[in-house]
Amino acid sequence: YARWKINSYTITYNLDGGTNYEDNPINYTMETETITLKPATKTGYTFVGWFDAAEGGNKVTEITKGSTGDKTLYARFEINQYTVIFKDHNGTVLKEEMVNYSGSATAPANPARTGYTFTGWDINFSNIIEDITVTATYRANTYEINFDVQGGTVEPETITVTYDDKYGELPIPTRIGYTFLGWYDTPIGGTNITNETMVTTAANHTLYARWTAIEYTITYNLSGGTNDKANPAKYTIEAETITLKDATRAGYSFVGWFDAQTEGDEVTQITKGSTTNITLYARWEIVTYFINYNLDGGTNDTNNPTNYTVETETFTLKPATKIGYTFAGWFDGEGNQLARITKGSTGDKTLHAHWIINNYTISYNLDGGVNGANPISYTIETETLALRDATKAGYIFIGWYDAKEGG
């Protein structure tokens, strides 16, 4: 009898700086099933294929079953190109350039923007390894504001503001017998300029004070609440004493009106004879709501909270457990299923666990015998089962066991 030893052939991979796919084999025999070659990888390059020569040659995608001989394969790659887009602050494309992997882009001419000084580009555009968008960056210019008080007095008389930013805290002028209405950009008519107004004039400019006969304002800072409609927005020196009504806010108890956002004094009324604009701050105390779980004999997940507030982040209710049952969900008293309690919810909640009874199968391995009238399934609520004997011709039934041997 002739006896043979099968030849093993090597596969050599020339990777050109890349990394081989870990599943590519390094040897084979003529009996090896057809090998489909996996691609190599190289940072910054796209794999073209395996070839049987360093240059030119034939592309090799597989080594078919029955092949013989050592193989030398050459990985061939193509350098990646990436898109570099230069954009202005508003998204306008200033230039688009294709750059080879690890290369550098060339910036366009510096753009111009009203009210701003160009400061450069937001990211580096050398050593490009991916598509990038480069955005122009700017520094907002500052301008001097002069105040024309139109017969009043003010301090300071000038401020500096930043273009495209809010004017910020503007000084409040005074004038006996008058209420200051605000600053305007022209002596008559024009636009009211407030602390929140954005600076859109790209030059030094003047703001003009505007006045009216005294009528004092009441400003309510509600911190997300709703004011009572009976609370007035203004009053005069002749107004009767005003008793302030409570504001409301879902999920909070109203503590009172205060004359400062923090600390300060509580204000319950504005007495007749007052002569000033008033700013009131609603102060709130968050309400804690309770969650009651009716488990119907089950056990709750310890991660299910027993209380929450209107500010609590949305949380998903965890399933309860009950031996012999599958949890079907949490339901409210109206039969609506609740999977989570979302942020902003309010009110105490009673949740009821719903269950589906599990049905378990009984499998009988009869070893050639015949089963009696034994059930094939049961549940946790099934009454205790007395198993009947199986029968097998020529044999005496010894009993049921929970293992094929031993048990």
Side-chain angles (χ1 to χ4, degrees):
Y1 297 90
R3 192 167 294 173
W4 304 93
K5 179 181 179 183
I6 195 165
N7 290 333
S8 178
Y9 303 103
T10 61
I11 307 172
T12 302
Y13 300 90
N14 286 286
L15 293 161
D16 189 23
T19 302
N20 202 356
Y21 192 92
E22 62 181 5
D23 289 346
N24 281 336
I26 59 174
N27 52 52
Y28 75 99
T29 72
M30 71 178 298
E31 293 182 0
T32 301
E33 295 298 323
T34 296
I35 300 165
T36 299
L37 295 166
K38 303 293 192 299
T41 56
K42 184 178 180 180
T43 302
Y45 291 78
T46 299
F47 182 70
V48 177
W50 295 105
F51 289 79
D52 59 7
E55 296 181 2
N58 299 306
K59 191 172 184 179
V60 180
T61 60
E62 61 183 18
I63 301 173
T64 57
K65 184 176 181 178
S67 298
T68 60
D70 294 337
K71 306 284 184 186
T72 299
L73 301 177
Y74 298 84
R76 200 164 292 175
F77 298 94
E78 188 175 77
I79 193 166
N80 293 338
Q81 282 196 321
Y82 300 101
T83 303
V84 179
I85 300 174
F86 291 88
K87 288 187 176 182
D88 206 352
H89 69 285
N90 58 2
T92 300
V93 175
L94 303 173
K95 180 183 178 183
E96 186 171 326
E97 180 179 353
M98 297 300 295
V99 180
N100 283 343
Y101 173 77
S102 187
S104 299
T106 302
N110 293 346
R113 182 182 177 189
T114 301
Y116 288 83
T117 299
F118 176 74
T119 58
W121 304 98
D122 65 339
I123 60 174
N124 193 323
F125 43 88
S126 61
N127 190 28
I128 301 301
I129 59 173
E130 60 184 345
D131 294 337
I132 62 170
T133 298
V134 184
T135 304
T137 59
Y138 297 87
R139 181 185 67 250
N141 297 333
T142 57
Y143 301 102
E144 184 176 277
I145 305 300
N146 294 304
F147 296 103
D148 184 333
V149 293
Q150 299 283 293
T153 58
V154 70
E155 182 64 34
E157 297 179 350
T158 62
I159 63 170
T160 299
V161 295
T162 302
Y163 187 81
D164 232 6
D165 196 0
K166 297 175 182 179
Y167 274 84
E169 187 174 356
L170 295 170
I172 306 299
T174 57
R175 184 180 179 189
I176 296 173
Y178 289 83
T179 294
F180 176 64
L181 292 181
W183 294 106
Y184 286 76
D185 56 4
T186 59
I188 300 173
T191 301
N192 180 215
I193 305 299
T194 71
N195 297 353
E196 299 297 312
T197 302
M198 304 299 290
V199 178
T200 57
T201 302
N204 298 332
H205 51 285
T206 299
L207 297 182
Y208 300 87
R210 193 155 298 172
W211 308 94
T212 190
I214 292 174
E215 185 175 70
Y216 300 103
T217 60
I218 309 171
T219 302
Y220 301 90
N221 288 287
L222 293 158
S223 295
T226 302
N227 204 358
D228 191 293
K229 292 180 179 179
N231 283 333
K234 56 188 177 180
Y235 75 101
T236 70
I237 193 172
E238 297 177 357
E240 295 299 322
T241 295
I242 300 165
T243 299
L244 296 166
K245 306 294 185 183
D246 292 352
T248 57
R249 183 181 178 189
Y252 294 82
S253 296
F254 182 71
V255 176
W257 294 107
F258 288 78
D259 59 8
Q261 192 164 9
T262 58
E263 298 182 353
D265 298 316
E266 186 173 6
V267 180
T268 59
Q269 57 183 210
I270 300 171
T271 56
K272 183 176 181 178
S274 298
T275 56
T276 184
N277 293 326
I278 297 173
T279 298
L280 299 174
Y281 297 86
R283 197 161 294 177
W284 307 96
E285 186 175 85
I286 197 163
V287 176
T288 298
Y289 299 105
F290 296 94
I291 308 172
N292 179 47
Y293 299 89
N294 287 317
L295 294 159
D296 189 22
T299 302
N300 202 357
D301 190 295
T302 57
N303 290 318
N304 279 335
T306 57
N307 55 61
Y308 74 100
T309 72
V310 71
E311 294 181 0
T312 300
E313 295 297 326
T314 296
F315 58 90
T316 299
L317 294 164
K318 307 294 184 183
T321 56
K322 185 178 180 181
I323 296 173
Y325 294 82
T326 297
F327 182 69
W330 293 107
F331 291 78
D332 62 17
E334 297 177 355
N336 300 309
Q337 187 169 4
L338 295 177
R340 62 188 58 83
I341 296 177
T342 57
K343 184 176 181 178
S345 297
T346 59
D348 296 333
K349 298 190 182 296
T350 297
L351 302 179
H352 303 268
H354 283 202
W355 305 98
I356 299 172
I357 194 166
N358 294 335
N359 194 54
Y360 303 105
T361 59
I362 307 173
S363 299
Y364 301 91
N365 291 289
L366 294 160
D367 191 23
V370 178
N371 201 358
N374 284 323
I376 61 172
S377 67
Y378 73 98
T379 73
I380 193 170
E381 295 180 1
T382 301
E383 296 297 327
T384 299
L385 301 173
L387 295 171
R388 299 176 182 275
D389 292 352
T391 58
K392 183 177 180 182
Y395 290 82
I396 296 172
F397 181 73
I398 297 173
W400 294 106
Y401 288 81
D402 58 6
K404 186 174 182 180
E405 297 179 2

